[in-house]
Amino acid sequence: MTHTHDEDPACEVAHGDAPAQETTEEAGRTLVAVFASPVAECLLRIGAELGFRPVLLEPDPARGLDGFPAVREIGEHVDATADVVLTDHHRDEIGSVLRDLLKSPARWIGIMGSPRHVGPHVRALADLGVPAEEVARVHRPIGLNIGSRTPPEIAVATLAGLIADRNGRPGGFAF
């Protein structure tokens, strides 16, 4: 049986019958994974497949990921196209890194963690004098609520949520 795809051009793209047309925003997407971790590796690898420009932000020169050169400072790497994900909520640098990210033009900033308790970033930012309305810009939890547990599952849930958010779709981050 032959199918026709008159009604939805996205179907033709999914079947490889037509090229995807990127918007200017999609063409310039940046994914910044903060802190070298197994989740960061999966986010950057899968994110690259999804059209993101992958950037690893790792302030500790002793840490890194194979295949992803680390940048040590935010600099021009975090612009208005950037979706930023902190992939470790146990690092001492959380407060200072988030404080600096909140001053950047990043499109979206989130940190991994359970929704069952207040994240350590809240206290760390308050201790640095960051106003509550700025702290509230940090998304937590991140990703779609699909019950993800492994680094690849967390990466897929996070990237799906970022795509939904960027496209104004209800996939979102609500738990």
Side-chain angles (χ1 to χ4, degrees), residues 14 30 32 35 55-57 85 93 95 105 110 137 141 149 155:
T30 302
V32 179
F35 304 134
V55 175
L56 173 63
L57 174 59
V85 179
E93 308 98 311
R137 290 183 46 215
R149 298 194 188 322

Side-chain angles (χ1 to χ4, degrees), residues 8-29:
D8 188 356
C11 193
E12 291 180 1
V13 172
H15 289 279
D17 296 332
Q21 294 182 358
E22 292 184 340
T23 65
T24 302
E25 184 175 291
E26 288 171 332
R29 296 184 297 177

Side-chain angles (χ1 to χ4, degrees), residues 156-169:
V156 166
T158 301
L159 288 162
L162 289 172
I163 292 168
D165 181 75
R166 187 179 291 269
N167 292 331
R169 296 292 195 245

Side-chain angles (χ1 to χ4, degrees), residues 116 142-150 153-154 157 175:
R116 293 183 292 278
I142 59 171
L144 300 183
N145 184 3
I146 60 172
S148 54
R149 298 194 188 322
T150 66
E153 290 174 343
I154 293 166
F175 276 64

Side-chain angles (χ1 to χ4, degrees), residues 58-150:
E58 174 52 75
D60 183 348
R63 299 180 190 218
L65 293 173
D66 288 340
F68 297 100
V71 299
R72 305 294 175 204
E73 297 177 5
I74 294 169
E76 73 277 358
H77 304 288
V78 180
D79 58 18
T81 72
D83 293 331
V84 181
V85 179
L86 277 77
T87 66
D88 187 337
H89 55 266
H90 297 291
R91 295 278 295 267
D92 292 337
E93 308 98 311
I94 285 175
S96 60
V97 168
L98 275 173
R99 178 197 59 210
D100 295 346
L101 285 166
L102 287 168
K103 294 175 186 175
S104 79
R107 188 194 81 82
W108 189 95
I109 300 170
I111 184 170
M112 288 179 28
S114 170
R116 293 183 292 278
H117 54 80
V118 176
H121 70 287
V122 174
R123 177 62 179 216
L125 288 170
D127 288 348
L128 293 170
V130 176
E133 61 273 9
E134 286 295 300
V135 176
R137 290 183 46 215
V138 179
H139 296 269
R140 184 173 174 272
I142 59 171
L144 300 183
N145 184 3
I146 60 172
S148 54
R149 298 194 188 322
T150 66

